Amino acid sequence: MESLSKLWLSTGLANFELGQVIMMLVGCGLLYLAIARSFEPLLLLPMGFGAILTNIPVAGLSEVGGLLHYIYYAGIDTGIFPLLIFMGVGAMTDFGALIANPKMLLLGAAAQFGIFATLFGAIALNFIPGIEFTLKDASAIAIIGGADGPTAIFLASKLAPELLGAIAVAAYSYMALVPIIQPPIMRALTTVEERKIEMAQLRHVTKVEKVIFPLGLVLMAILFLPAAAPLVGMFCLGNLMKESGVVDRLSSTAQNELINIVTIFLGLGVGSKLSADAFLNVETLGILALGAVAFSIGTASGVLMAKGMNKFSKAPINPLIGAAGVSAVPMAARVSNKIGLEANPHNFLLMHAMGPNVAGVIGSAVAAGILLALVG
Amino acid sequence: MNNMQQEFLEAGTLMLVGMVVVFAFLGLLILFVNLVLAKLAVRFPDPVAPSRAPSNKKNNKKADDGTASPAIVAAISGAVNRYRAQHGQSSASADNSLPQNKN
């Protein structure tokens, strides 16, 4: 009889707490989004499953000695996983469109306004009882507006690890929602005539330029913003491996096998932060709301900047590509292309939008560096 | 309340400094692309002409190999035939010489 009751006490049924059940349902929700709606499935699937695993009673997967605990501390607490992912992203990025039309960097810069405006909003949320964001928390939340998963996770792990779960969920959900969030803002801020604008064809970019660009970018990070060096450095390493053309094996590993392996661990590690006490509170709702605001402001400021540049620039600029200034590569560029095609079926903006798109990646890495330097 | 004001002030300065630095950094990057990369592109134009020339050379070489090979084959086979003929004679003479040596 005694052994029977001991057995009963070792079951999940006897030890479930309400919070754990709810968090498992949240995990199932993420799995649903990943599998049925294909929202960023590569990350949300391991993340959702990680959320289920970490909330199993008795097993203690995210306590000291548990698998998820070590995955989190080895890879996310140290910042290694997001940086390795960033290297892979660098190896997949083609700066050609940006080098051909460097003015697009201004659009990538303008879209970062979403980050800094949200910082303000996060502090304003402190008026609501039950929410208390410090400046560090606010910075980590605001980076969601950069629409860059690895950057958001990197910064959150440095500035506000207790909010990491909610921030990662918000960042990746909104990145998946780019095709839904952006178009209404883009349509509202532009006229049909502006959306019809066709842009001049991009010039040819030589190999030497593509090889020197990442080196120049890293040099600038060294000189002016060393706090951004981890992100920019790994990004440029990946890009140099791709563009140099002499280490195709490394480049292909960084953009395939390595990034896939790290994505599994990153998802699991982030999922391990989805525990009831860290996730089920008013602050999470605040983070989700602020993430949407950050995204919308970033999109809007990119579009407005492009409108302004179109007024002053000799070469016509379609304001729609400004929306691609939030990173979310390549989804945001595809959205610009799609909205452009709606207004003018012969207007292919994809290559033009890739410029601000990769500029947005640099911009959000720089913004993360600034926040680390000033707040961290 | 005072605390809130101070936090707002901090957030405001962060916003200002942040946007200025982002624009300055990416603005410098524009200068870098326009001044350095554009010049490099003019000095080291890798695109169409030079990349075609070596490939043509390679093709020519390959083509040379292709057209030359029958001639070379003919020459080699001729040489081999002659060698064989000579060798056959010499071996015959060697065969002859062996018994001579024995003798």
Side-chain angles (χ1 to χ4, degrees):
Chain A
M1 199 63 212
E2 200 175 291
S3 57
L4 258 183
S5 71
K6 215 172 177 182
L7 189 68
W8 165 247
L9 285 177
S10 71
T11 61
L13 283 172
N15 288 285
F16 257 126
E17 290 162 21
L18 183 64
Q20 289 170 329
V21 179
I22 296 175
M23 285 318 294
M24 282 190 173
L25 291 177
V26 170
C28 290
L30 293 178
L31 287 181
Y32 169 78
L33 289 178
I35 297 168
R37 314 295 300 274
S38 31
F39 276 16
E40 298 281 333
L42 292 178
L43 205 87
L44 286 193
L45 192 140
M47 205 194 278
F49 208 83
I52 294 176
L53 289 179
T54 195
N55 284 291
I56 298 175
V58 188
L61 276 162
S62 53
E63 287 159 21
V64 179
L67 171 70
L68 297 183
H69 171 86
Y70 291 118
I71 290 179
Y72 178 83
Y73 278 95
I76 298 181
D77 191 48
T78 56
I80 290 176
F81 288 165
L83 291 177
L84 286 177
I85 299 241
F86 222 52
M87 180 173 79
V89 174
M92 288 191 244
T93 300
D94 185 352
F95 281 120
L98 187 62
I99 299 172
N101 194 1
K103 270 184 293 181
M104 295 298 115
L105 278 162
L106 292 177
L107 297 178
Q112 308 314 318
F113 185 64
I115 294 178
F116 293 103
T118 307
L119 222 168
F120 227 67
I123 296 294
L125 272 190
N126 281 347
F127 280 116
I128 299 174
I131 294 185
E132 210 165 311
F133 290 134
T134 63
L135 208 56
K136 280 187 179 184
D137 297 345
S139 309
I141 297 165
I143 199 74
I144 298 173
D148 196 321
T151 307
I153 292 175
F154 179 74
L155 197 71
S157 70
K158 298 285 173 217
L159 294 181
E162 69 285 354
L163 300 178
L164 186 106
I167 289 173
V169 167
Y172 279 98
S173 317
Y174 291 132
M175 274 167 67
L177 288 174
V178 159
I180 299 168
I181 296 176
Q182 285 197 320
I185 301 169
M186 292 157 75
R187 289 200 192 96
L189 292 174
T190 52
T191 63
V192 182
E193 271 61 47
E194 284 173 324
R195 273 178 258 152
K196 280 183 183 162
I197 294 176
E198 288 185 26
M199 295 180 64
Q201 207 185 345
L202 296 171
R203 73 171 172 90
H204 178 83
V205 174
T206 65
K207 191 191 168 194
V208 179
E209 287 178 281
K210 286 186 174 180
V211 172
I212 300 293
F213 184 84
L215 293 172
L217 182 55
V218 115
L219 178 72
M220 285 188 48
I222 293 168
L223 293 179
F224 303 115
L225 199 59
L231 285 165
V232 174
M234 292 304 279
F235 189 74
C236 290
L237 170 63
N239 192 250
L240 186 64
M241 292 198 295
K242 169 179 181 274
E243 298 299 353
S244 66
V246 292
V247 286
D248 284 340
R249 282 163 47 183
L250 303 189
S251 159
S252 120
T253 299
Q255 54 182 299
N256 297 294
E257 294 87 352
L258 184 62
I259 203 170
N260 290 342
I261 292 168
V262 176
T263 302
I264 296 174
F265 289 128
L266 186 77
L268 279 174
V270 171
S272 80
K273 281 280 140 181
L274 292 176
S275 60
D277 49 331
F279 196 79
L280 293 179
N281 48 42
V282 200
E283 290 181 344
T284 301
L285 291 178
I287 291 171
L288 290 172
L290 284 169
V293 171
F295 239 87
S296 311
I297 297 180
T299 305
S301 48
V303 172
L304 291 176
M305 182 78 186
K307 274 178 82 132
M309 282 170 66
N310 183 39
K311 289 230 166 69
F312 294 105
S313 149
K314 271 174 271 169
I317 295 172
N318 189 317
L320 290 177
I321 64 168
V326 304
S327 347
V329 181
M331 191 98 83
R334 284 197 200 132
V335 171
S336 298
N337 188 47
K338 195 171 148 248
I339 307 292
L341 283 175
E342 276 174 17
N344 176 355
H346 304 293
N347 197 6
F348 291 92
L349 292 172
L350 189 64
M351 275 322 285
H352 299 287
M354 281 315 287
N357 214 183
V358 295
V361 177
I362 303 173
S364 46
V366 170
I370 295 165
L371 291 173
L372 269 180
L374 296 183
V375 184
Chain B
M1 210 59 226
N2 204 13
N3 192 24
M4 282 293 290
Q5 257 177 359
Q6 203 184 334
E7 273 190 336
F8 266 118
L9 205 70
E10 262 181 283
T13 35
L14 204 59
M15 183 164 94
L16 208 70
V17 174
M19 283 315 285
V20 168
V21 176
V22 168
F23 267 101
F25 193 93
L26 297 191
L28 278 172
L29 205 55
I30 295 181
L31 285 182
F32 172 74
V33 173
N34 278 339
L35 298 181
V36 182
L37 289 192
K39 270 184 193 156
L40 282 174
V42 176
R43 275 195 71 174
F44 305 97
D46 69 358
V48 208
S51 66
R52 256 187 202 165
S55 71
N56 274 353
K57 270 182 193 167
K58 273 179 194 168
N59 287 343
N60 287 342
K61 270 182 194 167
K62 274 178 193 168
D64 283 346
D65 290 347
T67 52
S69 57
I72 289 171
V73 165
I76 290 174
S77 52
V80 166
N81 281 341
R82 195 178 287 176
Y83 175 75
R84 271 191 190 147
Q86 282 179 359
H87 194 75
Q89 283 175 359
S90 68
S91 70
S93 66
D95 282 345
N96 291 339
S97 68
L98 274 173
Q100 275 174 6
N101 279 345
K102 269 184 183 174
N103 290 341

